[in-house]
Amino acid sequence: MVISSITKFLPNKHDGSLLGKRKFMGLAVIAIAIFAFSSLAINIGSHISLKKERELSITLPNGDCIWTNAEVYNESNGHPYGTLFASYPAAGMRVTWQQTEGATGIKVSDDFFQLAYAKIGLVKTQYPHYEGIWSYADNMNQVIYVLRNPRWAMPSYLTILSELNYAHTWEIAYDHLPEVFTKRAPMEDWIQWRDYRFEDEIRLWGLHIDFYMTNGLQYWMPVDFERNGQWPFRFYNESDLPWPQDYHCALDIDSCVPVAIVSYERIRDPEHGPGELHKIANALRGKPGMTVLPEDNIDCIWHDTWTSTLAPYNDARDRNGLPRTAYNFTMDQMYTIEAKLVEYSEKYSSPEWANMTQAQDLVWNFEHYLVEVREEIADIEANPPPTAAPNANYEDELVEWYNSKGKGNRYDKGKVQNMGIWDLIKHFYDR
């Protein structure tokens, strides 16, 4: 079996150490995920030609510049210093990688697509959220974290799922790639996804930040191969402390703690955007294999990237259907978002984080998110929506809808029994 050939590269599962056991489980899970998608990834990769030379945007006197297309890093130039751009789904990664490519001339790779090629240099991921995978082995050295207000990240996340037709296979996702950044989700889908996933996703938004700020404290059970927290597994809670460290952060990267925090709201803002790009450039400048524009040209390339990049932006969705402001939360959900932002603002402004610039940047953004969220709450309180009629079957209907999209029942016993890891997790199904 292919799974057997993959697992021969895993550590000895009879290693008695805790780290050995956890690494075996984690790598087994990744092997299964990569096997499931590798054939299409290789097919996709075969249609992509690697150019031999990187092309850096052109610098001119007096801080001027000319934007040029970025190109795939040429491995013949040596192994580059690896930078991982990590975020919760739909946190504005597109704008971030476009700006990064403008400043470096190096393409940012995706953790999912083109698995046939080495993930080196610049890579973006949503790991450890279940939409991301650690596909870059030990090629990364540092992390830059990309942040977005959860009030807007969650609706945008659902929109991407909808554009990709809720893909749970490479074939479906690849077929629908041309539809990304073209239309927002149907309103009925938003309401059902929101009401079914809200509590888990607002928690994951916070846990994702914590994961990187704590150098990989693992919030999911080691045997939870999708890191999704659905039955028969669960997320860790306070009673499980101390949580284990994710073995990737322990072994595969210098540190998972971000060297910089950039936010979607700031990097696309004319006042703050160049400053956010300066953070990225400063984190990359001088690293092996990295070509970065001089400091004096960063402001120029930030502006030039906006006007020169041909790829669609989030705002393009407004041309087809409802605007983003139509995708609202209930009053109770808005209160929960507010409480989460207050919790995280207080957490990362506590004494233990006082001397860390990254924590201060987080708090700055949280406080600005709170202003926006509280303004929306005030508007809803002043003009409350009508109360929906009670529906005793609503929760069952949400479960049925979610399952119909291929997103529910991810740990179905019959499916898991055929995945090659049944002996490791079967006892969870006997409880």
Side-chain angles (χ1 to χ4, degrees):
M1 285 181 63
V2 175
I3 290 294
S4 300
S5 66
I6 293 173
T7 56
K8 72 180 181 181
F9 297 106
L10 301 177
N12 185 352
K13 68 178 179 180
H14 299 297
D15 180 354
S17 68
L18 176 61
L19 186 59
K21 292 176 180 177
R22 284 168 51 207
K23 184 155 188 177
F24 174 78
M25 271 304 304
L27 288 176
V29 168
I30 290 174
I32 291 167
I34 291 177
F35 167 66
F37 299 121
S38 60
S39 60
L40 180 58
I42 291 171
N43 184 52
I44 294 170
S46 67
H47 296 289
I48 299 172
S49 62
L50 296 179
K51 298 182 180 179
K52 293 183 178 180
E53 301 294 334
R54 296 195 310 281
E55 189 174 335
L56 186 63
S57 294
I58 300 169
T59 60
L60 299 174
N62 302 316
D64 290 335
C65 64
I66 298 174
W67 178 91
T68 59
N69 277 312
E71 299 188 6
V72 175
Y73 182 84
N74 186 352
E75 294 184 61
S76 67
N77 292 324
H79 193 81
Y81 192 89
T83 298
L84 185 65
F85 291 84
S87 74
Y88 174 86
M93 187 63 79
R94 189 180 195 87
V95 173
T96 304
W97 66 250
Q98 287 171 337
Q99 289 289 341
T100 301
E101 290 184 353
T104 64
I106 302 171
K107 281 198 171 294
V108 178
S109 300
D110 185 271
D111 61 354
F112 266 118
F113 289 105
Q114 303 168 25
L115 288 177
Y117 295 116
K119 302 297 184 182
I120 58 175
L122 306 174
V123 179
K124 61 185 178 75
T125 189
Q126 295 161 355
Y127 182 89
H129 191 280
Y130 56 87
E131 297 289 358
I133 59 173
W134 192 288
S135 59
Y136 22 88
D138 60 356
N139 292 323
M140 298 293 102
N141 300 95
Q142 65 179 5
V143 173
I144 293 176
Y145 194 85
V146 183
L147 183 71
R148 188 181 186 184
N149 189 339
R151 162 61 182 96
W152 301 108
M154 282 190 276
S156 189
Y157 174 26
L158 184 274
T159 289
I160 292 175
L161 291 177
S162 176
E163 288 171 330
L164 293 175
N165 198 30
Y166 302 89
H168 50 276
T169 69
W170 278 105
E171 291 86 354
I172 296 174
Y174 194 62
D175 285 346
H176 291 273
L177 275 179
E179 299 172 35
V180 173
F181 290 94
T182 63
K183 57 185 178 181
R184 301 193 188 278
M187 182 56 66
E188 58 270 24
D189 280 17
W190 160 243
I191 293 172
Q192 292 177 101
W193 184 88
R194 176 199 71 186
D195 291 350
Y196 185 78
R197 288 296 306 170
F198 176 78
E199 294 296 336
D200 281 339
E201 291 300 334
I202 190 62
R203 185 180 181 190
L204 282 169
W205 177 86
L207 289 172
H208 200 274
I209 296 168
D210 292 339
F211 174 84
Y212 283 98
M213 291 296 288
T214 61
N215 197 21
L217 287 188
Q218 183 176 307
Y219 56 80
W220 64 95
M221 301 173 71
V223 290
D224 183 354
F225 53 88
E226 288 202 338
R227 307 177 302 280
N228 198 14
Q230 291 183 352
W231 186 90
F233 310 118
R234 62 176 176 82
F235 293 134
Y236 284 142
N237 54 43
E238 296 298 313
S239 67
D240 299 306
L241 291 173
W243 297 354
Q245 184 186 24
D246 179 42
Y247 75 89
H248 289 302
C249 293
L251 301 176
D252 292 336
I253 191 171
D254 296 349
S255 174
C256 279
V257 177
V259 296
I261 304 290
V262 298
S263 76
Y264 170 73
E265 292 80 9
R266 285 170 67 90
I267 201 168
R268 60 174 287 153
D269 177 69
E271 179 181 356
H272 298 288
E276 296 292 275
L277 186 55
H278 275 284
K279 289 183 190 177
I280 296 171
N282 290 338
L284 300 178
R285 191 176 287 111
K287 301 298 192 297
M290 292 293 105
T291 52
V292 185
L293 289 181
E295 190 78 8
D296 291 345
N297 301 99
I298 294 298
D299 286 27
C300 173
I301 203 61
W302 181 89
H303 290 280
D304 219 29
T305 296
W306 277 111
T307 58
S308 302
T309 304
L310 299 178
Y313 292 98
N314 186 40
D315 296 344
R317 292 165 169 151
D318 290 338
R319 294 195 292 266
N320 297 293
L322 297 171
R324 70 172 190 145
T325 52
Y327 294 79
N328 297 319
F329 291 90
T330 68
M331 178 60 80
D332 285 343
Q333 290 167 345
M334 288 298 296
Y335 287 145
T336 299
I337 294 173
E338 179 188 29
K340 180 63 67 174
L341 291 170
V342 169
E343 173 193 350
Y344 273 67
S345 181
E346 292 176 349
K347 173 188 287 189
Y348 287 106
S349 59
S350 63
E352 67 177 298
W353 300 100
N355 296 321
M356 188 176 185
T357 300
Q358 298 92 313
Q360 295 167 11
D361 287 346
L362 285 174
V363 172
W364 190 96
N365 284 286
F366 296 153
E367 294 294 336
H368 281 75
Y369 296 164
L370 272 169
V371 171
E372 184 178 13
V373 166
R374 284 170 171 163
E375 288 177 352
E376 185 172 351
I377 288 175
D379 288 342
I380 299 173
E381 289 175 336
N383 302 282
T387 302
N391 180 357
N393 299 319
Y394 188 54
E395 290 189 7
D396 291 337
E397 292 171 0
L398 291 180
V399 172
E400 182 179 355
W401 174 84
Y402 197 65
N403 287 341
S404 74
K405 299 298 184 181
K407 293 294 183 180
N409 204 20
R410 305 286 282 268
Y411 304 104
D412 176 74
K413 183 176 180 179
K415 178 170 62 178
V416 173
Q417 284 176 321
N418 296 317
M419 292 181 64
I421 59 172
W422 177 245
D423 287 343
L424 297 171
I425 63 175
K426 62 183 179 183
H427 59 285
F428 286 97
Y429 290 80
D430 297 331
R431 296 182 300 181

